[in-house]
Amino acid sequence: MAMLLRMILRNILPSALLVGCLGIPAQAASITEGIVATKDGPRHFLVAVPAGPAQPRRPLVIVLHGHMGNAKNTLGTGLQERCPLSAWAAIADREGLVVAALDGAKGEDGKQGWNDGRPGSTGNPTTDDVAFAKAVIDRMERDQNTDPQRVYAMGMSNGGVFTFRLALELDHPLAAIAATCASMPGDHAPAPASRPMSVLMIEGTKDPLMPYEGGQVHFYKKLRGAVLGTEASLAYWRKVDGLGGVPTQQTIPPAGRSGDPTRVTRMTWGDPGGPQVVLLKVEGGGHCEPSLAHRYGLLYTAVCGKQNGDVESAEEAWRFFRDKRAR
């Protein structure tokens, strides 16, 4: 059994991360490729632009895949590569926004990922990914007339950790971020934030890779640097945003999916008119974005834990983003 698990982790799971999802095709948004020049060389991304006549000052959402993922997987442009974040293609078309899915750089393990600020993280690249994100934002403002006050970022896992780095270091102010299956880097004091930031976290309490309580991120026996726990990450941003007290809580009703033992509670600090910090706490959830329509396969969930089916992660993020502006 141990030998089989090692084979899955080393050889099969990287492919399963790309094709182990079942879902619906991307909608009518036009998806094209883009390249920007950086000091690390040309960097690649995909951009989804809604159908119909161009609208001025569209919002921009930056979407960041997890370690071993890619932009193509994120926007669902290939056969069966339709994982939960690919719901952004349909949202772009429906809501009239631009979505840019960035491709991470290859680290020492040969897999794509992000330089997310975790010290001691084996496999992460050393590229200046903050500068890459800034170059894409500037390109979209120039080419797609996106609104500089309505730029948002959402990431999964390694990409989610990187959203926190963007929130702290990007000199183009983001309006809000969303991180799923991810916490802030640990093992050192977080950098001071220069501005308030609205933050959504979507976290499973039984995540076997990136522990809810914090500590070492690990993939099989490989340690991949430390993260703060979910509660500590929330406390950091609540302090930055001046949000104390008890959150409002809402239990999300089950969607009726057979065999789903997970449950979601939404906890909200702050009001819609100002900075907000929100946690979607997935009791019993694993290292999987919750989704109703985009389901991971049995191989993925056997290693990464249970996937909730009561909410759609990308829809939750857009609901959180849409009325927020950079401060």
Side-chain angles (χ1 to χ4, degrees), residues 185-205:
D187 274 355
H188 62 283
S194 61
R195 62 179 70 89
M197 178 66 60
S198 290
V199 174
L200 168 66
M201 297 181 69
I202 305 174
E203 311 295 335
T205 62

Side-chain angles (χ1 to χ4, degrees), residues 251-286:
T251 300
I252 306 298
R257 184 176 294 277
S258 176
D260 184 357
T262 64
R263 292 294 177 266
V264 180
T265 301
R266 182 185 288 109
M267 303 179 184
T268 303
W269 291 265
D271 299 317
Q276 281 187 308
V277 173
V278 174
L279 169 65
L280 287 183
K281 185 175 184 179
V282 187
E283 293 286 353

Side-chain angles (χ1 to χ4, degrees), residues 138-203:
D138 290 346
R139 172 74 63 82
M140 293 297 95
E141 187 174 345
R142 186 190 74 204
D143 293 355
Q144 299 295 337
N145 197 27
T146 54
D147 186 343
Q149 298 302 306
R150 300 186 71 192
V151 180
Y152 313 94
M154 182 180 192
M156 159 64 177
S157 191
N158 173 212
V161 180
F162 182 52
T163 63
F164 290 114
R165 186 166 195 175
L166 288 178
L168 293 172
E169 299 182 20
L170 189 67
D171 60 9
H172 187 295
L174 294 173
I177 64 169
T180 183
C181 306
S183 292
M184 295 182 70
D187 274 355
H188 62 283
S194 61
R195 62 179 70 89
M197 178 66 60
S198 290
V199 174
L200 168 66
M201 297 181 69
I202 305 174
E203 311 295 335

Side-chain angles (χ1 to χ4, degrees), residues 18-19 72 76-82:
L18 299 182
V19 298
K72 184 178 179 181
T77 60
L79 180 63
Q80 295 184 335
E81 295 181 350
R82 299 176 183 121

